[in-house]
Amino acid sequence: MSDHEFTRALGYANAALDLLKKSGIPPYPQFYELLYTYATGVNPSLNHRINALFSSGDSPTTSLAETLYNEFLKSDVNDRMSTVSERMQARIEAVHSAIDQAMTTANAYSGSLQSAQGDLERDISPEALKALATRLLAETRRMQDTNRSLEQKLEASREDIAALQRDLDDVRRESLLDPLTKIANRKSFDEGLRTAIAEARQTGNSLCLILVDIDHFKSFNDTYGHQTGDQVLRLVAMTIKSNIKGRDLAARYGGEEFVAILPNTDINGASIVAENVRQAIHGKELLKRSTNEKLGRITASFGIACFHPADTAGSLIERADRCLYAAKHAGRNRVVTEDNLAEITEQTRAGVTAA
């Protein structure tokens, strides 16, 4: 973890503890997680609910905190996954039961045939032969009915299992998406980066990482409100996503930070992508939907690092974060790569920053 990332995380932690203290809510792990998540702003629905409570003047209580935790942070995805798994298990058990029933009937039918074979090998009267044929016919029809019932149950199970598989796929996709911006979330990014690093190490192909931070976002959010802030986050997310292609991955890293993984891309190619995104963000004038008020333009800062054979995910992120930190200190609204990090840092120390 870089110094910049550590400082940011520590700020979220201190904000969460301050809110716990002011509200008189005990600092149990679940309540700390609740207010830490609120401080990061990664769950817009939670933030909207808590902001509404603060605006109404209601005093937070332990009971209310428990309610909010259960509603927003208890793993809804895990609950849904568990529900689908239980349905899948029930359906599998139903299939096994149907098969067992069919096997029992088939074994009984096989026994009847063997018994009939023994009877036929002896001399039997026409009346006994007729009775035997009638019995075998009835058992054959019962076997046919059992087979039809099994086929119907298997077909219904096949359809149910296919639907359950779709539900599982949906749950997995949702677990990898940021609910606000609809691009990949931090979990998806972590998985994607591990995969990209493993592939780059195996093939020797280039791999670059871009970190993006919206400039002065907290001030903008406080001035124009969280709904407008959410609009900005969605705008930046879609701008990044629309400027990457193929196997590239855009993700929300946390709060107002985003990240892009660019396999098979060198530092120059990554710089072009970042510059295109930077210009596209700066080129959009914001409009407050409720009032049509023009809010001006936003900018973002970018840090880029390229994978080296000795890198881990952590070391690659840390270098990109150092570049992002340098871009912030050099005046924001710029792209800093590993290649020009030393130059930008020296200019900043010398007091030479771009407007």
Side-chain angles (χ1 to χ4, degrees), residues 227-245:
Q227 286 189 340
T228 304
D230 290 349
Q231 181 185 344
V232 170
L233 292 172
R234 284 191 287 264
L235 168 67
V236 172
M238 289 302 101
T239 303
I240 297 171
K241 188 173 181 178
S242 64
N243 279 275
I244 61 175
K245 60 183 179 179

Side-chain angles (χ1 to χ4, degrees), residues 181-321:
T181 62
K182 303 304 179 186
I183 64 172
N185 61 14
R186 178 66 179 267
K187 176 184 177 182
S188 182
F189 162 71
D190 289 340
E191 292 181 5
L193 185 58
R194 282 195 297 270
T195 300
I197 286 177
E199 185 173 304
R201 184 171 281 120
Q202 181 179 10
T203 63
N205 293 337
S206 298
L207 168 66
C208 280
L209 184 69
I210 304 176
L211 280 182
V212 187
D213 187 275
I214 303 173
D215 297 329
H216 302 298
F217 181 75
K218 186 178 185 305
S219 175
F220 185 92
N221 215 25
D222 292 343
T223 301
Y224 297 109
H226 293 280
Q227 286 189 340
T228 304
D230 290 349
Q231 181 185 344
V232 170
L233 292 172
R234 284 191 287 264
L235 168 67
V236 172
M238 289 302 101
T239 303
I240 297 171
K241 188 173 181 178
S242 64
N243 279 275
I244 61 175
K245 60 183 179 179
R247 298 173 58 211
D248 299 343
L249 177 69
R252 189 177 180 191
Y253 191 63
E256 67 272 22
E257 284 194 325
F258 297 86
V259 64
I261 302 172
L262 308 181
N264 303 318
T265 305
D266 60 19
I267 200 78
N268 291 328
S271 298
I272 293 171
V273 171
E275 184 60 26
N276 288 340
V277 174
R278 186 195 69 79
Q279 291 181 17
I281 292 173
H282 188 243
K284 291 179 171 63
E285 186 169 21
L286 296 175
L287 197 68
K288 191 170 185 179
R289 292 176 179 173
S290 58
T291 62
N292 286 329
E293 174 189 0
K294 291 184 178 180
L295 307 181
R297 303 178 189 276
I298 57 169
T299 63
S301 300
F302 298 75
I304 303 176
C306 196
F307 174 75
H308 303 316
D311 267 328
T312 62
S315 64
L316 181 60
I317 293 170
E318 184 174 354
R319 288 207 314 282
D321 198 50

Side-chain angles (χ1 to χ4, degrees), residues 20-324:
L20 287 170
K21 185 175 180 181
K22 290 177 182 177
S23 303
I25 297 173
Y28 298 148
Q30 67 269 32
F31 300 150
Y32 171 77
E33 180 187 0
L34 177 74
L35 291 176
Y36 185 94
T37 303
Y38 170 75
T40 64
V42 297
N43 189 324
S45 299
L46 171 64
N47 281 47
H48 179 73
R49 179 72 66 81
I50 293 180
N51 289 334
L53 290 170
F54 288 152
S55 298
S56 65
D58 291 342
S59 299
T61 63
T62 301
S63 175
L64 180 58
E66 186 75 40
T67 299
L68 291 173
Y69 176 80
N70 289 336
E71 181 178 351
F72 289 99
L73 293 186
K74 263 195 170 179
S75 181
D76 178 59
V77 169
N78 287 342
D79 290 344
R80 289 178 60 192
M81 188 76 77
S82 176
T83 299
V84 173
S85 296
E86 289 173 3
R87 287 165 55 201
M88 183 77 80
Q89 182 63 33
R91 177 49 62 189
I92 290 172
E93 289 175 359
V95 170
H96 285 168
S97 176
I99 292 174
D100 288 343
Q101 182 180 354
M103 289 296 294
T104 299
T105 303
N107 289 335
Y109 184 62
S110 176
S112 296
L113 291 178
Q114 290 177 358
S115 176
Q117 181 181 4
D119 291 339
L120 290 172
E121 289 173 351
R122 298 190 300 271
D123 290 334
I124 59 174
S125 66
E127 292 78 10
L129 181 61
K130 183 178 179 180
L132 177 61
T134 300
R135 178 167 59 84
L136 287 176
L137 181 60
E139 293 191 10
T140 298
R141 286 172 177 167
R142 184 162 51 250
M143 187 66 196
Q144 289 173 333
D145 290 341
T146 299
N147 285 340
R148 278 195 295 269
S149 176
L150 177 61
E151 288 176 1
Q152 291 170 355
K153 289 178 181 178
L154 289 177
E155 178 61 22
S157 295
R158 185 189 68 79
E159 293 174 357
D160 284 350
I161 289 173
L164 288 168
Q165 184 60 55
R166 289 193 296 271
D167 288 346
L168 282 173
D169 291 341
D170 289 342
V171 170
R172 185 179 186 280
R173 277 193 296 271
E174 288 180 22
S175 75
L176 298 176
L177 285 182
D178 176 63
L180 174 64
T181 62
K182 303 304 179 186
I183 64 172
N185 61 14
R186 178 66 179 267
K187 176 184 177 182
S188 182
F189 162 71
D190 289 340
E191 292 181 5
L193 185 58
R194 282 195 297 270
T195 300
I197 286 177
E199 185 173 304
R201 184 171 281 120
Q202 181 179 10
T203 63
N205 293 337
S206 298
L207 168 66
C208 280
L209 184 69
I210 304 176
L211 280 182
V212 187
D213 187 275
I214 303 173
D215 297 329
H216 302 298
F217 181 75
K218 186 178 185 305
S219 175
F220 185 92
N221 215 25
D222 292 343
T223 301
Y224 297 109
H226 293 280
Q227 286 189 340
T228 304
D230 290 349
Q231 181 185 344
V232 170
L233 292 172
R234 284 191 287 264
L235 168 67
V236 172
M238 289 302 101
T239 303
I240 297 171
K241 188 173 181 178
S242 64
N243 279 275
I244 61 175
K245 60 183 179 179
R247 298 173 58 211
D248 299 343
L249 177 69
R252 189 177 180 191
Y253 191 63
E256 67 272 22
E257 284 194 325
F258 297 86
V259 64
I261 302 172
L262 308 181
N264 303 318
T265 305
D266 60 19
I267 200 78
N268 291 328
S271 298
I272 293 171
V273 171
E275 184 60 26
N276 288 340
V277 174
R278 186 195 69 79
Q279 291 181 17
I281 292 173
H282 188 243
K284 291 179 171 63
E285 186 169 21
L286 296 175
L287 197 68
K288 191 170 185 179
R289 292 176 179 173
S290 58
T291 62
N292 286 329
E293 174 189 0
K294 291 184 178 180
L295 307 181
R297 303 178 189 276
I298 57 169
T299 63
S301 300
F302 298 75
I304 303 176
C306 196
F307 174 75
H308 303 316
D311 267 328
T312 62
S315 64
L316 181 60
I317 293 170
E318 184 174 354
R319 288 207 314 282
D321 198 50
R322 284 204 300 268
C323 294
L324 174 61

